[in-house]
Amino acid sequence: MAPRSDFPPIRACLFDMDGLLLDTEDLYTLCINLILEKYGRTSLPWSIKAKLQGRPGPEANALFHDWAKLPVSESDYLAQLTALQQQHFPTAKPLPGVEKLLGDLGRTRWWDFKDENGVRNGEKGGKEGQKAQRVHIALATSSNSANFAVKTSKWTELFSVFESHRRVLGDDNRIQPGRGKPLPDIYLLALKTINDSLDEGEKPITPEECLVFEDSVPGVESGRRAGMRVVWCPHPMLKKEYEGREPEILAGRMGEAGEIDTHQLGEIDDGWADYFVDLTNFPYEKYGIVIPPAEVELDASMKENTNDELVTQDAKSVTA
């Protein structure tokens, strides 16, 4: 089919975390392989790892145990795995392009600020005079709260761009058991957290105005099922594992969720999803995103806004 090209500008970017923002996928593999080696098992192959990626812990663990058949209970395995993860996760680092991408998107809030005459900066336009708008962002990760805290412990400033009420984690009780990725619930909830906190009078954001950033195959399907555009930025070994099947992945048609609500899936080459090697030099213009110049960070309104958000988040953490 001819790819669609008449998309509206992106107004929200929704991010996975593991293997997309942070280089945790190889750390996951390391921890699992240490346990497999201990019990004389072969290392975790990418054919299995690909099925585990992006899924909530309980679902991923069930798939793993069905394959590994370790001579220990699931609770014993999880205790060993958790101990290794606590040791290795703090070494996680942002993947290429992530810090600039999040910084650029965070800076788009400047478009919403008004000058002394009450005119929005976005109304005056970016370069070449086009009108510009803020791009809202949210986090949608299958990592539970404890793992999220460990992985991001050295990167709190980087992750502060995700306001606390716009973070959806794997153990969020608003997501029903068994409804994690590859089903669409987590991304639809992430969008709801944005729409519920828009300024009064701002038009709600629709799914087709959202861009999902994912590295996993179940995650791509989740985004496609949510009716959103998707950026797929996989680990090189995952890309190699599925070589030749990229069009099916981008359409969400790898059957990760089985024959459930197949009307939610995309079509081959429909233009809704794109593959990127990494997130460096991201093509904002392709998605109708306008980034303000770096010097707007010196604007007093940007500093005031940042302080207000940090105070709000600190207050929430104290009362939580």
Side-chain angles (χ1 to χ4, degrees), residues 75-183:
S75 60
D76 188 4
Y77 163 77
L78 287 176
Q80 294 183 56
L81 183 63
T82 299
L84 288 168
Q85 290 174 342
Q86 294 288 316
Q87 176 185 347
H88 292 284
F89 279 165
T91 67
K93 295 180 176 63
L95 284 157
V98 166
E99 291 174 275
K100 184 178 187 303
L101 175 63
L102 292 183
D104 287 348
L105 294 175
R107 198 160 66 246
T108 65
R109 69 188 187 279
W110 186 77
W111 297 126
D112 276 353
F113 300 155
K114 296 177 180 179
D115 64 15
E116 62 276 8
N117 298 316
V119 179
R120 282 182 60 254
N121 291 327
E123 290 297 317
K124 292 178 282 189
K127 61 182 181 179
E128 300 179 2
Q130 77 271 46
K131 290 186 178 182
Q133 59 189 346
R134 177 181 180 178
V135 177
H136 298 270
I137 65 174
L139 188 69
T141 174
S142 295
S143 277
N144 62 35
S145 302
N147 277 345
F148 173 80
V150 175
K151 294 168 186 173
T152 62
S153 60
K154 296 181 180 178
W155 301 101
T156 53
E157 183 176 351
L158 177 65
F159 279 86
S160 68
V161 72
F162 297 104
E163 297 172 71
S164 57
H165 58 280
R166 294 180 175 182
R167 299 176 181 179
V168 182
L169 308 184
D171 51 357
D172 193 308
N173 58 19
R174 292 172 293 181
I175 300 176
Q176 296 300 310
R179 295 292 304 182
K181 301 174 186 178
L183 298 178

Side-chain angles (χ1 to χ4, degrees), residues 31 131 147 161 183 186 216 225 280 307 310:
C31 294
K131 290 186 178 182
N147 277 345
V161 72
L183 298 178
I186 191 168
S216 73
R225 284 178 173 274
T280 58
N307 289 336
L310 290 176

